């Protein structure tokens, strides 16, 4: 996993739920989060820490997090891609988009 993050796909369910193992995989490849446990994909703190390692982890965050305004706003401050992976509901919320853009690109 330290050499190939995508190898997480073949790890045991126990290891797919291990924060240290999954973060090591994400460090090598942001796409590795797709193989993490649902529990980790829905853990705000964990996913936000993973975002600092790779912008692409947001694609594999839970739908619940992708629709969580507070979470997406926090992610926006760490990643240009956060809005890309936000829920359609949030993407269609004019006030939310204005707030997110202001957070990412403060004047």
């Amino acid at each position: 996993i330290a050499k190939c993050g995508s190898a997480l796909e073949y790890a045991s369910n126990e290891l797919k739920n291990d924060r240290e193992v999954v973060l090591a995989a994400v460090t090598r490849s942001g796409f590795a989060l797709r193989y993490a446990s649902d529990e980790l994909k829905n853990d705000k703190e964990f996913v936000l820490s993973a975002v600092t390692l790779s912008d692409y982890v947001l694609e594999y965050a839970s739908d619940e997090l992708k629709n969580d305004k507070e979470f997406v706003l926090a992610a926006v401050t760490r990643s240009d891609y956060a809005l890309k992976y936000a829920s359609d509901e949030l993407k269609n919320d004019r006030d939310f988009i204005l707030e997110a853009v202001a957070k990412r690109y403060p004047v």
Side-chain angles (χ1 to χ4, degrees):
I1 288 176
K3 292 185 179 187
C4 178
S6 296
L8 184 63
E9 177 181 8
Y10 307 107
S12 69
N13 289 338
E14 182 179 332
L15 292 177
K16 289 178 181 180
N17 196 44
D18 183 297
R19 290 172 172 277
E20 188 177 338
V21 170
V22 175
L23 280 178
V26 168
T27 299
R28 298 302 298 159
S29 170
F31 300 109
L33 189 68
R34 77 179 124 191
Y35 304 117
S37 70
D38 290 341
E39 183 179 331
L40 286 181
K41 288 190 241 183
N42 196 42
D43 183 314
K44 284 183 186 183
E45 181 183 314
F46 178 78
V47 176
L48 282 176
S49 63
V51 168
T52 62
L53 300 172
S54 173
D55 292 328
Y56 302 105
V57 299
L58 293 171
E59 181 176 1
Y60 303 103
S62 71
D63 289 341
E64 184 178 326
L65 288 182
K66 290 178 185 180
N67 197 44
D68 182 311
K69 286 183 180 184
E70 179 184 307
F71 170 78
V72 176
L73 286 174
V76 162
T77 63
R78 300 172 187 211
S79 168
D80 286 328
Y81 291 94
L83 285 177
K84 177 178 180 177
Y85 300 116
S87 70
D88 288 340
E89 182 179 331
L90 290 181
K91 288 180 191 175
N92 288 315
D93 182 331
R94 182 181 186 278
D95 293 334
F96 172 77
I97 294 296
L98 290 172
E99 185 177 355
V101 170
K103 272 198 172 285
R104 183 66 186 156
Y105 304 103
V107 180

